[in-house]
Amino acid sequence: MSAGTGSKPVVAITSGEPAGIGPELCARLAERDWSVRPVVLGDLDLLRERAALCGSTVVFRPWQADTPAVRGLVDVLHQPVACRSRPGVLDVANGAYVLGLLDRAITGCMSGEFAAMVTAPVHKGVICESLGAGDSMPFSGHTEYLAEHTATPRVVMMLVGGGLRVALLTTHLPLSQVPAAVTPQALEETLRILHADLVCHFGIVAPRILVAGLNPHAGEGGHMGREEIDIIEPVLERLRGEGMQLIGPLPADTLFVPHTLDKGDAVLAMYHDQGLPVLKHASFGGGVNVTLGLPIIRTSVDHGTALDLAGSGRADPGSLFAALDLAATMVTARATRAADPFAPVC
């Protein structure tokens, strides 16, 4: 089996937290024809039960690589839950099951069995509890887990939607810890990853990156902070010398206006809540989370497990559909670049 089995690349979709909306969102995949071959990783009985509860007539079948895709059918690579799951009711016993879905998808992507992976939402708290973590948080999210399990020293979180691409220098840090994390090394490595993936996976030959400042008004010439002068600008200047098109540091409060956004292909924000509120306002329900810098392609929904909606049939599949569409686009861009003998190796 390979990522190119049949006429379409195979993309793994992890169904996520079994008590959440992930399983029923996966059932909705049958509503469309796809340019790739989606295969859902999850418990076959759970998926059938959840679809029936939501009034869906979708047919799930065990995954076989040599069978053609059929609209109205969803292929499932069966991974059994530890215990039966009820909609909206978390069970710590299934924490290992959720991680097992990720492990299987990672293994398949690394081996070439899958061309990419798409992740439905997980519940960080119940996973940490299943690991016996006490007050610590050994699982802080997909992004960090994927980095660790692919031996990737640095990854970059980027959200795509509403016509925007917004990457983050820092992710899930308390605001008080952000300034110390804005270092020359972190900024340079992040910009290199963002630039490389925009070229390799998005097909943008010469990316233009808008870089936000850390402080209000990008520091106001040092009167509101010196990170822009001492850290950000020197890194940008050095990388501009290598040919990167970097615009900034820009005040975040005016960066996201149309005439500025028109000058760039992506934005690099310094911290989580500097960039993502704008993007989610523009695209909530249809946004996609992308992990850059990995040796594999991974996209994800931009929402949580929505335990209160689980089993109701009212969950919107827009973000999952957008994540699969974007994964397909990235797979195509990578293949196109790989086939070009004159393109630099990514």
Side-chain angles (χ1 to χ4, degrees), residues 24-41:
E24 60 206 72
L25 292 180
C26 290
R28 303 286 297 272
L29 294 168
E31 297 174 7
R32 279 183 48 183
D33 291 322
W34 300 95
S35 62
V36 291
R37 180 79 182 271
V39 54
V40 174
L41 275 56

Side-chain angles (χ1 to χ4, degrees), residues 24-112:
E24 60 206 72
L25 292 180
C26 290
R28 303 286 297 272
L29 294 168
E31 297 174 7
R32 279 183 48 183
D33 291 322
W34 300 95
S35 62
V36 291
R37 180 79 182 271
V39 54
V40 174
L41 275 56
D43 186 286
L44 194 53
D45 292 332
L46 166 71
L47 291 162
R48 287 170 173 160
E49 289 175 5
R50 195 62 53 80
L53 183 63
C54 294
S56 171
T57 59
V58 63
V59 175
F60 294 99
R61 67 176 179 183
W63 162 246
Q64 294 183 2
D66 57 355
T67 57
V70 178
R71 186 168 184 172
L73 296 179
V74 175
D75 290 306
V76 178
L77 181 55
H78 177 62
Q79 306 286 297
V81 292
C83 63
R84 186 171 181 178
S85 177
R86 291 185 293 154
V89 182
L90 294 170
D91 193 323
V92 67
N94 280 325
Y97 159 78
V98 175
L99 292 180
L101 300 181
L102 295 177
D103 293 341
R104 180 65 180 86
I106 293 168
T107 299
C109 286
M110 293 293 284
S111 70

Side-chain angles (χ1 to χ4, degrees), residues 196-213:
D197 272 24
L198 289 171
V199 173
C200 296
H201 292 144
F202 288 83
I204 302 171
V205 177
R208 302 164 301 163
I209 301 173
L210 307 173
V211 181

